[in-house]
Amino acid sequence: MKLSDALLLSLSLALIIIGVHQSLTSGIGASYPIFMFAVAMLFWFQYRRMQHPTEPVSPQKKAKPGKKR
């Protein structure tokens, strides 16, 4: 995970926490834009992860079976 991905994920989590606090104090109408921004950032994070998948494991990197006794 790159730094920018970690920042997107942590910022969206922080916005969700802020949105919950706002909905408890001011109501859901006041916190709706905060939730939508957090969801948009989560979608952006998922899009970035799908664009850069982890590299496939080559046959040399696979775990070798243990010794048979």
Side-chain angles (χ1 to χ4, degrees), residues 1-11 44-55:
M1 184 182 298
K2 292 184 178 182
L3 179 64
S4 57
D5 293 337
L7 287 173
L8 276 174
L9 188 61
S10 60
L11 189 58
W44 188 16
F45 169 75
Q46 187 65 27
Y47 176 75
R48 288 178 53 92
R49 281 189 60 193
M50 296 302 287
Q51 290 296 325
H52 301 288
T54 58
E55 62 185 53

Side-chain angles (χ1 to χ4, degrees), residues 1-54:
M1 184 182 298
K2 292 184 178 182
L3 179 64
S4 57
D5 293 337
L7 287 173
L8 276 174
L9 188 61
S10 60
L11 189 58
S12 63
L13 178 65
L15 284 174
I16 290 172
I17 293 170
I18 291 170
V20 167
H21 178 266
Q22 284 294 318
S23 69
L24 291 176
T25 57
S26 302
I28 193 72
S31 63
Y32 181 77
I34 297 171
F35 282 126
M36 289 299 107
F37 193 58
V39 168
M41 291 183 78
L42 285 173
F43 280 138
W44 188 16
F45 169 75
Q46 187 65 27
Y47 176 75
R48 288 178 53 92
R49 281 189 60 193
M50 296 302 287
Q51 290 296 325
H52 301 288
T54 58

